[in-house]
Amino acid sequence: MCGIFGVTDDRNASRLAFIGLFTLQHRGQESAGIVADDGSRLVPYSAMGLVNEIFSKDVLDSLAGHAAIGHIRYSTAGSSDIKNAQPLFFNSALGPLAVAHNGNLTNAARLRADLQRSGAIFQSTADSEIIVHLMARRRGRTLEDTIARNLPLLEGSYSFLFMTPGGMIAVRDPNGFRPLVLGRLGRSHLFSSETCAIDVVGGKTIREIEPGEMVVVRKGAVRSRRFSRPAPLTRCIFEQVYFARPDSVVAGRTVQLTRNEIGAMLAREMKGVKADIVSGVPDSGTAYALGFAGASGIPYQAVFMRNHYTGRSFIQPDQTLREFTAQLKLAPIGGVIEGKSIILIDDSLVRGTTSRKIIASLKRAGARNVHMAIASPAIVSPCYYGIDTPTKEELIANDLTPERIRAYIGADGLHYLSLGSLITACGGGTDRGFCSGCFTGRYPAGRNVKRAK
Ligand code: AMP
């Protein structure tokens, strides 16, 4: 998963992009980059690490210009390479061009092989680079036409920002897998993966970019055109379950409220389960637990202190330090746990390792029993559209029954939310509108999809 942010028509564009990326940091912590447009040139800067560590005052000063796009990349094993940091930047027959991508192209391996056979030399291993090679080979009358001609060759998920001197183009794939919203701030237009970043820079969200839509901003004016008829909308339901920040609006509703509603649904499905307190695994579990408490009458209580400074890349240099990782990240609050029967909510169960560790730590702290509640159905199949889920074999629900999973994680009970309740709580109508391939193994786009990276 990644995050993208774009700003037009503001002389502080790269500073606003920095604030936007900083707000979207939860979507990726491996690398970050900004490309600024000074009207005639594009100036790129990207590095490995967190937004706040990369962009010093000097770096931001060097990114002068009236427009900028930025990208943050999600850390997945083996792909930690500065070559894959985005926005990608090219000087080609198309002129200077920068590209930022959130998504995953399911036909990337085939397209890349075809392009390489015909002479393309790739700078990175990122699937995102493919669109630029396609564009260099199949040109249209204008840059927009060139992009519109080539996007239909891509399969899978993509929200893209393209920038050239004087122009910015935003597109969202025909299924709308990944989010992308349009906002305004004074004279400037903003594009963002999530509305929370538009709020933080002081802007106003106008609307989502529609599936199959291309939005072009040039000389302060915004235009919209379609590059594809929209396929049935299948937005990723995991955005609301886990990825999006609670203060973002997704599918017309603040994510915190959606998660409260999901918690209430869980409470209804688990009517027979008694407990002294209900709690959530921080951070995402908290909103679910509050919703559960409201619907069930079981009081909410925080049972873990989360250390916000460990980050995702907590270095584990030796066995002695490694042993402290779990307690360091989530420390049980002993006094509220001892002797209690607890319903504990987490957003998802993937390999089961997190639940196993935290239930053991609650039991060590004196919990009488722990009933685990998961705010989504069992994950039985990988994601091909950009969420970092492991292979099918590593997914615990792929080969263990719920009863055996319960025993493995050491819980006294285990309940998964039903898919119907999840879709209803996320705002799905009769046409449903969500991709739930990870819960069902049924994928809406790209037949015979293979993991592209
Ligand atoms: P696991 O320990 O493998 O069962 O993973 C479940 C935990 O990982 C839950 O606490 C989730 O909040 C978190 N999680 C779920 N999906 C992802 C993801 N794509 N990337 C990182 N963490 C995730």
Side-chain angles (χ1 to χ4, degrees):
M1 186 55 65
C2 299
I4 55 180
F5 194 82
V7 187
T8 73
D9 303 290
D10 192 300
R11 64 191 174 78
N12 286 315
S14 59
R15 283 182 156 72
L16 293 174
F18 164 75
I19 298 295
L21 293 184
F22 203 161
T23 310
L24 296 176
Q25 186 79 77
H26 60 284
R27 299 183 67 85
Q29 301 85 26
E30 178 187 302
S31 65
I34 293 176
V35 177
D37 167 18
D38 77 357
S40 56
R41 288 177 321 141
L42 300 184
V43 186
Y45 190 89
S46 59
M48 306 302 289
L50 298 175
V51 175
N52 195 27
E53 297 160 359
I54 294 171
F55 296 101
S56 62
K57 180 179 176 304
D58 287 350
V59 169
L60 288 173
D61 285 347
S62 73
L63 294 169
H66 64 272
I69 60 171
H71 184 273
I72 39 167
R73 188 176 166 81
Y74 181 75
S75 173
T76 49
S79 69
S80 253
D81 188 341
I82 185 68
K83 284 204 198 96
N84 291 337
Q86 295 194 28
L88 300 172
F89 172 71
F90 304 87
N91 266 314
S92 71
L94 300 161
L97 174 69
V99 185
H101 173 210
N102 174 203
N104 194 51
L105 306 180
T106 51
N107 60 343
R110 183 173 57 71
L111 289 175
R112 175 184 282 264
D114 289 350
L115 286 161
Q116 280 172 330
R117 256 195 306 278
S118 67
I121 297 169
F122 281 80
Q123 307 178 359
S124 73
T125 55
D127 57 355
S128 320
E129 196 183 335
I130 287 167
I131 183 65
V132 182
H133 288 278
L134 290 172
M135 284 162 57
R137 280 167 169 70
R138 287 170 25 118
R139 308 268 289 276
R141 213 171 35 83
T142 61
L143 180 72
E144 288 155 57
D145 289 341
T146 302
I147 295 172
R149 259 190 95 186
N150 287 287
L151 289 174
L153 300 176
L154 306 180
E155 288 172 12
S157 65
Y158 51 90
S159 288
F160 278 117
L161 290 178
F162 296 90
M163 188 172 69
T164 56
M168 193 174 293
I169 298 175
V171 297
R172 191 167 174 210
D173 70 62
N175 290 87
F177 282 111
R178 295 286 145 235
L180 190 60
V181 290
L182 170 68
R184 295 268 350 219
L185 173 65
R187 285 177 50 242
S188 87
H189 290 89
L190 307 170
F191 296 103
S192 178
S193 295
E194 290 186 37
T195 64
C196 62
I198 292 180
D199 294 340
V200 170
V201 301
K204 188 171 167 356
T205 299
I206 307 295
R207 64 176 177 88
E208 289 190 15
I209 308 300
E210 286 173 22
E213 187 189 18
M214 170 187 287
V215 175
V216 183
V217 183
R218 200 175 288 282
K219 295 198 173 112
V222 65
R223 276 184 298 113
S224 161
R225 63 181 268 188
R226 295 213 149 271
F227 63 88
S228 156
R229 288 151 64 103
L233 174 69
T234 51
R235 66 170 84 239
C236 168
I237 205 162
F238 221 68
E239 288 279 342
Q240 276 142 301
V241 169
Y242 173 73
F243 255 98
R245 237 172 70 146
D247 53 337
S248 283
V249 174
V250 175
R253 194 174 192 208
T254 300
V255 171
Q256 174 83 357
L257 296 175
T258 299
R259 291 185 184 159
N260 290 161
E261 174 69 18
I262 291 172
M265 295 271 201
L266 261 178
R268 269 170 233 135
E269 290 188 359
M270 291 171 58
K271 240 194 203 121
V273 180
K274 303 276 174 277
D276 301 316
I277 53 174
V278 56
S279 196
V281 181
D283 291 323
S284 59
T286 308
Y288 296 120
L290 287 167
F292 191 112
S296 65
I298 298 173
Y300 169 82
Q301 176 62 275
V303 295
F304 287 111
M305 245 352 268
R306 174 165 174 186
N307 187 323
H308 283 271
Y309 308 99
T310 55
R312 283 177 50 84
S313 50
F314 174 64
I315 301 159
Q316 303 171 342
D318 61 35
Q319 186 57 28
T320 320
L321 288 179
R322 208 172 296 141
E323 275 167 18
F324 292 101
T325 314
Q327 299 91 301
L328 192 61
K329 274 192 174 173
L330 287 179
I333 306 173
V336 301
I337 295 168
E338 208 175 338
K340 294 286 186 337
S341 164
I342 302 169
I343 292 174
L344 181 69
I345 309 181
D346 201 358
D347 56 82
S348 57
L349 205 105
V350 184
R351 294 182 180 86
T353 42
T354 307
S355 299
R356 187 179 160 97
K357 278 188 191 141
I358 60 182
I359 290 169
S361 81
L362 287 178
K363 293 266 170 101
R364 276 198 302 275
R368 193 153 41 94
N369 59 60
V370 180
H371 193 110
M372 193 74 205
I374 305 296
S376 54
I379 297 181
V380 293
S381 227
C383 175
Y384 298 105
Y385 307 121
I387 300 268
D388 177 35
T389 44
T391 59
K392 206 169 169 74
E393 294 66 44
E394 291 169 275
L395 293 167
I396 190 165
N398 182 44
D399 61 355
L400 293 191
T401 60
E403 171 51 26
R404 291 191 56 200
I405 297 172
R406 182 204 62 73
Y408 173 78
I409 64 177
D412 299 282
L414 170 65
H415 183 90
Y416 286 103
L417 185 70
S418 67
L419 184 58
S421 290
L422 179 62
I423 288 174
T424 305
C426 288
T430 44
D431 63 347
R432 311 219 122 194
F434 291 97
C435 171
S436 51
C438 54
F439 306 129
T440 60
R442 289 193 300 278
Y443 297 98
R447 292 164 78 82
N448 302 319
V449 282
K450 290 218 165 55
R451 272 171 91 75
K453 60 180 181 185

